[in-house]
């Protein structure tokens, strides 16, 4: 049935309410909690606290245009995912420091701006991470963050559309998660997943289930039922919009950029915005501004390294050397191939894109309702890696992220792998460049600054090349970087030029119990009162794969901590397998089943 087109062009009730609230506030207002940032974490925290009976003011620097007006089709239609990231209205577009190891290249660092934050402009890929990621968090001093502790929150937050043989997946949660409709039975997707078995890695039905290692369908955060079926499922749409309709004590203020946190002694009492307003918190100020903006806001508010604050002329409220340090990310490169047929290349023609868009408008299905990353997987780059450290995203057409650069192939068909390593030892930093929040901070990821990074990425490229060799397809030919890129030196040269961020910054206000930790295991800023961080800044170490799902999980878990709620029931499979799936011979083999060739017979 055709949906009313007016919903694409007219503000919904939530948008009108948000704008009215924006206009109605005087120079100061008061609530139990002031939450800064309506992104992947902030939408969750604000909605859960309101659900728990608290009064909440949620401040968002951006506006409601990600969810209202004719341009909102670009954020709500999954296939348009590359477009919102290139709009300054929806993207902070931080500029990184030149990377010495990458010949001085500056790497793009987009971050979501507006309702839903990065969950409104990201690639929608849904990855929980490996159980051992969370064991590492606990081992780093984050008590209560082992896999058995976080699995119930992943289950709570999900509304999973697929099978759940092990009882690990959630039903009925706010966040819709589904496999794409194209991966199963479509030749290129099928050939990629089948190559997992042929190469000895295995093929798994759900890498968010019992076993991560292997090749699998790649689920995405897209509504799979209800009136928004086929639309992006951002945290705004999943959490905040329903909460705004249900709770009068939840106030969402758009166009409100936090200028600083105000303190009475070491107690956070309010947030001042750049337009001169002041929002008082009776209980807590909660920063959910993300791994770049949260440490910047802390620093210009007087919480951070004393020497940095003094250089900025900011009075020191809490001296905390760890604020802004421990910055981590995932890098990736595109591995592009020609193929005889079966790719999405013909659909890049403007008239075909128009038909895809029209079908989505009318029916909310087809190629408009997918991010196209419908298959992927995780493998180990070498023996001695206890669990996967390489991630693949499979895309059934070779194209740059902006959708502009398409390699020429004789057949006109192509595909690509996005290949990335998950656990770099490199650590960068975020540092405020001015006490004025409008001045962008200095962002230095220290990309590829550890020798192991080069070893791991060389191995990942060679393994990806070998894996594609196991795909049962006609006319496969490597386009980029090309078969002549073979030696370590040639691979390194290619990596220096082509490595890009996977857009997963985290770690800059890490949890822990050591002297360098910024926050305790419940997100409270050490040395301050009434001040908490709830976003990817808290991650002690980066998790396997895309970070949106772990960020939402953190927000769910800490919302319960703030309210004093009991956690959800334990998950039996996580209790029985607290370390997840690990190859029993991981120390001596790189994959569980050896593959055989004429040169390497059984």
């Amino acid at each position: 049935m055709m949906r009313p087109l007016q919903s694409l062009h007219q503000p919904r009730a939530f948008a009108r309410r948000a704008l009215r609230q924006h206009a109605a506030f005087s120079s100061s207002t008061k609530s139990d909690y002031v939450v800064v940032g309506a992104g992947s974490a902030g939408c969750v925290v604000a909605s859960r606290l309101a659900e728990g009976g608290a009064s909440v003011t949620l401040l968002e620097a951006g506006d409601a245009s990600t969810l209202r007006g004719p341009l909102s089709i670009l954020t709500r239609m999954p296939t348009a995912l590359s477009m919102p990231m290139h709009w300054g209205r929806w993207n902070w577009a931080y500029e990184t420091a030149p990377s010495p190891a990458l010949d001085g290249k500056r790497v793009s660092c987009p971050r979501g701006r507006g309702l839903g934050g990065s969950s409104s402009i990201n690639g929608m890929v849904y990855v929980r991470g490996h159980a051992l990621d969370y064991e590492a968090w606990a081992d780093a001093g984050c008590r209560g963050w082992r896999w058995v502790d976080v699995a119930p929150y992943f289950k709570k937050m999900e509304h999973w559309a697929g099978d759940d043989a092990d009882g690990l997946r959630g039903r009925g949660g706010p966040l819709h998660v589904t496999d794409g409709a194209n991966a199963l039975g479509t030749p290129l997707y099928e050939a990629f997943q089948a190559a997992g078995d042929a190469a000895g890695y295995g093929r798994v039905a759900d890498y968010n289930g019992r076993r991560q290692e292997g090749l699998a369908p790649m689920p995405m955060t897209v509504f799979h039922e209800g009136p928004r079926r086929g639309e992006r499922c951002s945290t705004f749409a999943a959490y905040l919009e329903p909460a705004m309709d249900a709770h009068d004590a939840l106030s969402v203020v758009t166009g409100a950029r936090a200028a600083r946190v105000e303190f009475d002694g070491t107690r956070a009492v309010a947030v001042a915005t750049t337009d001169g307003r002041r929002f008082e918190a009776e209980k807590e100020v909660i920063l959910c501004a993300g791994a770049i903006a949260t440490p910047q806001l802390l620093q210009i508010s007087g919480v951070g390294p004393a020497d940095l604050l003094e250089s900025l002329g900011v009075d020191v409220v809490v001296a905390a050397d760890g604020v802004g340090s421990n910055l981590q990310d995932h890098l990736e490169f595109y591995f592009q191939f020609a193929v005889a047929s079966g790719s999405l290349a013909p659909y890049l023609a403007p008239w075909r894109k128009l038909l895809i868009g029209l079908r989505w408008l009318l029916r909310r299905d087809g190629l408009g309702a997918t991010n196209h990353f419908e298959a992927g997987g995780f493998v180990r780059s070498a023996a001695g890696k206890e669990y996967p450290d390489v991630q693949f995203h499979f895309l059934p057409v070779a194209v740059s992220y902006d959708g502009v650069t398409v390699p020429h192939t004789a057949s006109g068909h192509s595909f690509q792998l996005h290949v990335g390593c998950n656990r770099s030892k490199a650590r960068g930093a975020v540092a405020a460049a001015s006490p004025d929040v409008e001045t962008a901070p200095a962002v230095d990821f220290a990309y590829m600054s550890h020798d192991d990074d080069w070893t791991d990425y060389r191995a990942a490229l060679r393994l990806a090349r070998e894996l594609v060799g196991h795909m049962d397809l006609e006319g496969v030919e490597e386009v980029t970087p090309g078969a002549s890129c073979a030696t370590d030196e040639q691979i390194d040269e290619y990596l220096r030029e082509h490595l890009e961020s996977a857009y997963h910054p985290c770690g800059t206000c890490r949890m822990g119990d050591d002297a360098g930790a910024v926050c305790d295991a419940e997100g409270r800023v050490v040395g301050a009162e009434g001040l908490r961080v709830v976003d990817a800044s808290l991650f002690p170490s980066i998790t396997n794969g895309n970070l949106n799902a772990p960020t939402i999980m953190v927000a769910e878990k800490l919302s319960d901590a703030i309210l004093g709620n009991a956690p959800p029931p334990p998950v039996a499979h996580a209790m029985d397998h607290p370390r997840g799936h690990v190859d029993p011979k991981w120390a001596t083999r790189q994959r569980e089943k050896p593959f055989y060739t004429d040169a390497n017979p059984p």
Side-chain angles (χ1 to χ4, degrees):
M1 178 180 295
M2 180 175 175
R3 298 182 62 198
L5 292 181
Q6 68 176 22
S7 66
L8 295 176
H9 304 290
Q10 296 181 0
R12 294 176 182 263
F14 74 81
R16 291 196 295 270
R17 180 190 304 170
L19 295 174
R20 282 204 306 270
Q21 289 166 342
H22 182 188
F25 275 121
S26 62
S27 61
S28 182
T29 188
K30 186 177 294 187
S31 54
D32 292 333
Y33 298 96
V34 176
V35 180
V36 177
S40 295
C43 287
V44 178
V45 171
S47 65
R48 290 303 193 193
L49 295 183
E51 182 182 283
S55 60
V56 182
T57 300
L58 175 60
L59 306 180
E60 170 53 44
D63 57 29
S65 63
T66 52
L67 278 300
R68 59 166 287 192
L71 289 178
S72 70
I73 190 174
L74 301 180
T75 62
R76 295 188 295 110
M77 183 167 65
T79 195
L81 64 95
S82 69
M83 301 178 74
M85 198 173 290
H86 296 86
W87 283 67
R89 187 171 188 171
W90 298 333
N91 177 14
W92 289 106
Y94 293 106
E95 184 175 79
T96 66
S99 299
L102 301 179
D103 291 342
K105 181 169 70 172
R106 295 182 186 270
V107 178
S108 173
C109 182
R111 292 287 86 202
R113 176 177 186 167
L115 296 174
S118 293
S119 74
S120 289
I121 68 169
N122 68 359
M124 293 160 280
V125 174
Y126 185 87
V127 185
R128 289 175 161 188
H130 194 282
L132 289 180
D133 290 327
Y134 303 103
E135 297 302 297
W137 286 16
D139 292 344
C142 301
R143 185 175 181 180
W145 288 93
R146 295 195 182 278
W147 174 238
V148 296
D149 303 309
V150 304
Y153 285 98
F154 279 116
K155 191 168 183 177
K156 174 185 178 181
M157 73 196 219
E158 290 178 352
H159 183 38
W160 167 236
D163 294 332
D164 183 27
D166 298 309
L168 280 166
R169 306 307 301 271
R171 310 281 192 193
L175 193 75
H176 285 226
V177 184
T178 181
D179 287 337
N182 303 294
L184 296 178
T186 303
L188 293 187
Y189 287 116
E190 181 65 24
F192 173 73
Q193 293 174 75
D197 275 333
Y201 296 111
R203 176 173 178 168
V204 295
D206 176 16
Y207 61 53
N208 289 306
R210 179 184 67 85
R211 170 178 172 149
Q212 185 184 70
E213 187 167 358
L215 303 190
M218 181 167 273
M220 55 188 168
T221 49
V222 171
F223 285 99
H224 52 78
E225 62 184 26
R228 303 185 79 158
R229 182 182 63 84
E231 294 187 19
R232 173 195 293 269
C233 186
S234 67
T235 57
F236 181 87
Y239 285 87
L240 191 62
E241 181 182 5
M244 291 180 68
D245 290 336
H247 306 293
D248 291 338
L250 171 59
S251 299
V252 177
V253 191
T254 55
R257 185 169 190 183
R260 66 188 177 280
V261 178
E262 295 186 352
F263 290 87
D264 180 1
T266 57
R267 180 172 185 82
V269 295
V271 176
T273 57
T274 54
D275 56 6
R277 290 177 292 166
R278 186 172 185 270
F279 299 87
E280 296 181 43
E282 295 273 23
K283 295 183 177 179
E284 286 187 355
V285 171
I286 304 172
L287 303 185
C288 303
I292 309 299
T294 286
Q296 178 198 18
L297 185 57
L298 283 172
Q299 290 165 357
I300 64 178
S301 301
V303 180
D307 56 350
L308 172 64
L309 272 52
E310 290 167 4
S311 72
L312 297 172
V314 173
D315 291 338
V316 177
V317 176
V318 177
D321 288 343
V323 176
S325 66
N326 193 47
L327 176 63
Q328 299 160 66
D329 192 14
H330 291 140
L331 288 171
E332 64 182 11
F333 62 89
Y334 302 165
F335 214 163
Q336 299 180 322
F337 296 84
V339 67
S341 62
S343 80
L344 294 182
Y347 292 93
L348 297 178
W351 69 273
R352 300 294 290 269
K353 291 181 179 180
L354 178 61
L355 290 179
I356 290 168
L358 288 173
R359 175 171 174 170
W360 182 84
L361 286 171
L362 295 173
R363 298 174 51 179
R364 294 297 196 270
D365 65 4
L367 292 176
T370 176
N371 61 1
H372 304 292
F373 292 113
E374 293 190 16
F378 296 85
V379 303
R380 288 174 288 126
S381 62
K385 304 279 188 178
E386 191 172 7
Y387 65 108
D389 63 315
V390 175
Q391 181 181 13
F392 300 128
H393 296 66
F394 180 82
L395 189 64
V397 64
V399 61
S400 62
Y401 201 95
D402 60 11
V404 174
T405 307
V406 182
H408 172 75
T409 65
S411 67
H413 289 274
S414 58
F415 66 86
Q416 75 186 26
L417 289 182
H418 292 207
V419 183
C421 295
N422 280 299
R423 296 193 296 281
S424 171
K425 296 184 178 73
R427 297 292 184 270
V430 173
S434 162
D436 182 358
V437 73
E438 302 280 6
T439 302
V443 181
D444 183 1
F445 282 95
Y447 286 130
M448 302 297 286
S449 58
H450 196 283
D451 288 345
D452 288 354
D453 294 332
W454 297 97
T455 301
D456 292 346
Y457 272 92
R458 291 177 203 131
L461 186 148
R462 289 175 170 129
L463 290 171
R465 178 176 279 157
E466 177 223 311
L467 179 65
V468 171
H470 288 279
M471 293 176 65
D472 187 14
L473 294 170
E474 294 183 2
V476 175
E477 182 179 351
E478 185 175 325
V479 175
T480 304
S484 62
C485 179
T487 67
D488 286 357
E489 293 75 17
Q490 289 167 336
I491 291 172
D492 289 353
E493 181 179 356
Y494 176 77
L495 292 172
R496 279 191 290 270
E497 183 176 353
H498 292 280
L499 278 170
E500 300 289 345
S501 173
Y503 312 138
H504 301 159
C506 66
T508 48
C509 299
R510 69 174 176 89
M511 298 184 288
D513 60 3
D514 62 293
V518 175
C519 299
D520 68 12
E522 293 190 348
R524 292 172 293 215
V525 176
V526 177
E529 296 82 46
L531 181 61
R532 200 179 300 247
V533 172
V534 183
D535 59 28
S537 302
L538 291 176
F539 292 16
S541 53
I542 199 164
T543 56
N544 263 15
N546 309 64
L547 300 193
N548 196 235
T551 301
I552 297 169
M553 177 277 293
V554 165
E556 284 275 20
K557 190 172 187 300
L558 291 184
S559 294
D560 270 353
I562 294 166
L563 292 169
N565 292 340
V571 178
H573 191 279
M575 299 290 286
D576 294 339
H577 304 279
R579 293 168 52 81
H581 170 82
V582 176
D583 177 7
K585 297 183 180 180
W586 63 268
T588 58
R589 64 185 182 188
Q590 181 260 333
R591 63 193 90 183
E592 292 192 23
K593 297 179 181 178
F595 68 97
Y596 301 114
T597 66
D598 290 341
N600 177 33

